[in-house]
Amino acid sequence: MKNVAVIGAGTMGNGIAHTFAQSGFSVNLIDISEASLKRGMATITKNLDRMIAKEKISEADKKLTLSHIKTHTSISEGAKNADLVVEAAIENLELKLNIFKELDKACSDSAILASNTSSISITQIAAATSKPERVIGMHFMNPVPIMKLVEIIRGYNTSNAVTHTIMELSKTLGKEPVEVNDYPGFVANRILMPMLNESIETLYNGVAGVEEIDTVMKLGMAHPMGPLQLADFIGLDVCLSILHVMYDGFKNPKYAPCPLLVNMVRAGKLGVKSGEGFYDYSENRKAEKVAQQFQK
């Protein structure tokens, strides 16, 4: 397995492309937008520069990694010779089904088709193809080049051979793969999202403020980041989407999203990506934080 196609040049997609390219794979990064591809490649370059600054890689390593990545705006062109395709588009079922229908036509019968979905059924995605036994979930964690975990999700029809291949491949990337079965939220988000949602409920009910809730979880539970800040970094729209998938899948009210989360997403307060969520990430606020650091 040498040729990998990654669909989606956003946060997860460019991180996945970076990781495969740094491990020596030839990568086609695919997105319908040239602007998104340019932003994705700029992010990969910036992250490689950070690694150089930390003396984890050399300038030659950076150039080699970048040389392994080519960009495309066409799935049929970018994925036609792929041994593995990793779809990392937004968490939208209709979009993913359309992508996998197109991949089914574009790719060879031997290609493995993987989705980076964080909650949507792999079995349902696989049903859009004529080769469901070759469809699997590879749920990477953000930031992909740093985080070790990959959830490997078997669909109902995923073959043992494909599962074994992807488990071993993940290890060659320096990751720790964990095999899980195909139920809403899998393991990571089935546990994480109710915690984030309960943290938002705690704020919504006036039990404590944003920083107080996060401080309790950081100092009391040894979490590296508070749940509300983590929700901001994930994206409140993404959290809401995952909770909807889990609520629809289980029909259990414990997965129903908090009204505060719903309203914040409606208002466009999505966290880091929009500049404001539970915390303020605007340029003015960043400048204020820098000034405070110099005053200390």
Side-chain angles (χ1 to χ4, degrees):
M1 188 171 289
K2 296 179 180 179
N3 300 316
V4 176
V6 178
I7 299 177
T11 301
M12 296 304 294
N14 70 60
I16 294 167
H18 172 166
T19 300
F20 274 102
Q22 195 170 344
S23 296
F25 292 84
S26 294
V27 179
N28 283 349
L29 180 59
I30 306 167
D31 199 293
I32 58 171
S33 165
E34 284 282 5
S36 294
L37 288 168
K38 287 179 180 178
R39 285 194 298 270
M41 291 304 299
T43 298
I44 293 170
T45 301
K46 182 171 66 176
N47 288 336
L48 289 167
D49 285 336
R50 284 201 186 106
M51 296 176 78
I52 291 172
K54 294 179 180 178
E55 299 184 343
K56 292 184 176 181
I57 64 171
S58 67
E59 183 69 33
D61 293 328
K62 170 189 167 182
K63 290 179 180 177
L64 184 60
T65 296
L66 291 174
S67 74
H68 288 154
I69 306 174
K70 292 181 173 60
T71 59
H72 296 266
T73 54
S74 165
I75 288 178
S76 59
E77 182 64 28
K80 65 181 180 181
N81 295 319
D83 302 308
L84 168 68
V85 181
V86 183
E87 170 273 315
I90 61 172
E91 202 72 347
N92 178 285
L93 175 60
E94 184 178 358
L95 174 61
K96 291 184 186 295
L97 292 179
N98 287 334
I99 288 172
F100 275 79
K101 287 175 185 176
E102 191 168 352
L103 289 172
D104 194 44
K105 296 175 183 176
C107 297
S108 70
D109 289 343
S110 62
I112 296 175
L113 308 181
S115 177
N116 182 59
T117 180
S118 55
S119 61
I120 294 172
S121 168
I122 298 300
T123 303
Q124 189 172 8
I125 291 172
T129 76
S130 61
K131 301 176 283 289
E133 70 279 0
R134 301 196 68 79
V135 179
I136 196 165
M138 289 186 79
H139 180 206
F140 290 86
M141 305 294 129
N142 184 35
V144 181
I146 295 172
M147 298 293 279
K148 291 290 187 183
L149 175 66
V150 184
E151 268 189 310
I152 306 300
I153 304 103
R154 291 184 66 129
Y156 188 84
N157 292 303
T158 305
S159 72
N160 290 334
V162 165
T163 303
H164 176 76
T165 296
I166 294 302
M167 290 287 286
E168 293 305 309
L169 175 68
S170 299
K171 293 174 186 176
T172 70
L173 298 175
K175 304 300 185 185
E176 294 286 343
V178 176
E179 182 184 336
V180 304
N181 290 319
D182 187 21
Y183 292 96
F186 315 133
V187 171
N189 282 318
R190 184 168 180 172
I191 295 169
L192 176 63
M193 286 301 151
M195 185 193 77
L196 299 188
N197 198 43
E198 191 63 29
S199 302
I200 299 168
E201 286 277 3
T202 303
L203 176 66
Y204 179 58
N205 291 327
V207 178
V210 171
E211 292 190 5
E212 288 77 11
I213 292 168
D214 277 357
T215 299
V216 167
M217 296 304 289
K218 285 190 288 186
L219 299 185
M221 313 303 166
H223 289 197
M225 182 183 291
L228 299 177
Q229 187 181 18
L230 178 57
D232 275 354
F233 273 78
I234 293 170
L236 302 189
D237 54 336
V238 175
C239 294
L240 180 61
S241 175
I242 295 170
L243 284 165
H244 278 314
V245 168
M246 293 171 67
Y247 181 66
D248 289 343
F250 291 116
K251 300 295 187 289
N252 189 323
K254 75 177 181 179
Y255 299 116
C258 175
L260 174 59
L261 175 62
V262 174
N263 275 341
M264 289 180 73
V265 172
R266 285 174 178 166
K269 311 297 185 185
L270 308 181
V272 174
K273 69 175 79 174
S274 69
E276 184 180 353
F278 294 106
Y279 293 87
D280 186 353
Y281 304 94
S282 64
E283 290 301 319
N284 289 339
R285 182 58 179 155
K286 288 177 184 175
E288 181 183 326
K289 286 183 176 180
V290 170
Q292 289 173 350
Q293 287 174 352
F294 278 108
Q295 290 168 0
K296 289 180 180 179

